[in-house]
Amino acid sequence: MGNTFNSTNEYVASEELMASVNVAIALQKPLLIKGEPGTGKTMLAEAVAKSLGKKLIIWNIKSTTKAQEGLYVYDTIQRLYDGQFGEEGVDDIARYIKLGKLGEAFDSDEQVILLIDEIDKADLEFPNDLLWELDQMEFYIHETHRTVKAKHRPIVIITSNAEKELPDAFLRRCIFHYIDFPNQELMEEIVKVHYPNVEENLMKQAMQVFYDIRSLRDMRKKPSTSELIDWINALQIGGIPANTLRANLPFLGVVVKKDEDLETVRKEIK
């Protein structure tokens, strides 16, 4: 299949996004993707894996995640437990070393896609703690004196919701792309991927209301692509006539998720 990413049947990517992915692959650098929630950052990694025919490994980052967990974990508790019950092989420390997601990607017999999802949720030191491993594509397991070196350099995609600034040293090592919110033309393509038979006037009216809502100045949480797709599905299931959308705003809670925003929309959208 080669190593060139193209849009798939399930994921519509802009020309600029496809170019950024392919540059990152060619230069063998991590691709850092930013964009507001709901712009398809996580789904991009799934689309790249499908387009290239490669396995996807996902490392979901939480506020408590430490970089070490992505490399390996030494399960001392299990070893102690096995020792108490006389299990064989308790002296073999390697049995109790479990590779993390980064370790799995390095140890894979084939090139994989590694998604480090929402890196900005972790503490500020987290990205810096990964610099050596992402540069050198190897790490050392002290307990077994083994170096795990990438058999095939994984294609690394990192997402961020821009909740925190990432360190400059980390940014220098990445190819950066900001996913702009889709314009109406691209959004129409995205909707049709999910609902190819959606009635044309229903989609047109729903999108007009949706973009009008997004343009309201006082919105605390602007609705995302996924919420538009859910709304159109709800409108179809409910058999809502397209010409009543703006007047009645049916199923508004599918699109707008905050009390204050509901009040703003009902007051401003006419």
Side-chain angles (χ1 to χ4, degrees), residues 173-230:
R173 288 162 169 82
C174 298
I175 303 297
F176 173 71
H177 183 88
Y178 187 91
I179 298 184
D180 289 313
F181 196 83
N183 60 26
Q184 293 202 31
E185 187 180 344
L186 184 59
M187 186 66 86
E188 195 170 313
E189 282 187 59
I190 293 169
V191 170
K192 284 184 174 174
V193 162
H194 295 270
Y195 303 111
N197 300 317
V198 62
E199 198 264 313
E200 201 68 36
N201 195 34
L202 179 71
M203 180 167 70
K204 183 182 172 190
Q205 295 297 326
M207 281 181 50
Q208 281 183 356
V209 173
F210 173 80
Y211 278 95
D212 284 350
I213 290 172
R214 277 189 58 86
S215 70
L216 293 175
R217 199 175 50 187
D218 296 330
M219 290 293 288
R220 290 188 58 197
K221 181 193 176 301
K222 292 183 178 182
S224 67
T225 304
S226 56
E227 285 154 347
L228 171 62
I229 290 165
D230 287 344

Side-chain angles (χ1 to χ4, degrees), residues 5-13 18 43-53 189 193:
F5 167 61
N6 294 293
S7 288
T8 66
N9 292 335
E10 292 86 19
Y11 189 92
V12 178
M18 284 190 281
M43 286 175 63
L44 170 66
E46 296 168 5
V48 172
K50 182 164 186 179
S51 174
L52 304 183
E189 282 187 59
V193 162

Side-chain angles (χ1 to χ4, degrees), residues 9-10 15 41 51 90 116 135 156:
N9 292 335
E10 292 86 19
E15 293 290 333
K41 298 186 297 297
S51 174
V90 76
I116 303 177
D135 266 352
V156 180

Side-chain angles (χ1 to χ4, degrees), residues 66-119:
K66 302 298 179 191
Q68 176 65 37
E69 296 166 26
L71 308 179
Y72 73 93
V73 176
Y74 172 32
D75 193 346
T76 51
I77 303 297
Q78 186 62 51
R79 189 180 180 209
L80 186 64
Y81 183 83
D82 289 351
Q84 286 176 335
F85 287 90
E87 290 283 335
E88 286 186 20
V90 76
D91 291 334
D92 181 8
I93 295 178
R95 285 183 58 190
Y96 302 97
I97 299 292
K98 185 178 186 305
L99 292 179
K101 298 297 184 181
L102 199 63
E104 276 182 49
F106 286 4
D107 207 40
S108 173
D109 290 328
E110 296 179 350
Q111 186 184 47
V112 300
I113 311 295
L114 173 65
L115 170 63
I116 303 177
D117 202 22
E118 299 194 326
I119 195 170

Side-chain angles (χ1 to χ4, degrees), residues 3 5 16-31 175-176:
N3 262 11
F5 167 61
E16 295 83 2
L17 179 54
M18 284 190 281
S20 294
V21 172
N22 289 321
V23 164
I25 292 171
L27 297 181
Q28 297 187 326
K29 287 179 175 285
L31 175 64
I175 303 297
F176 173 71

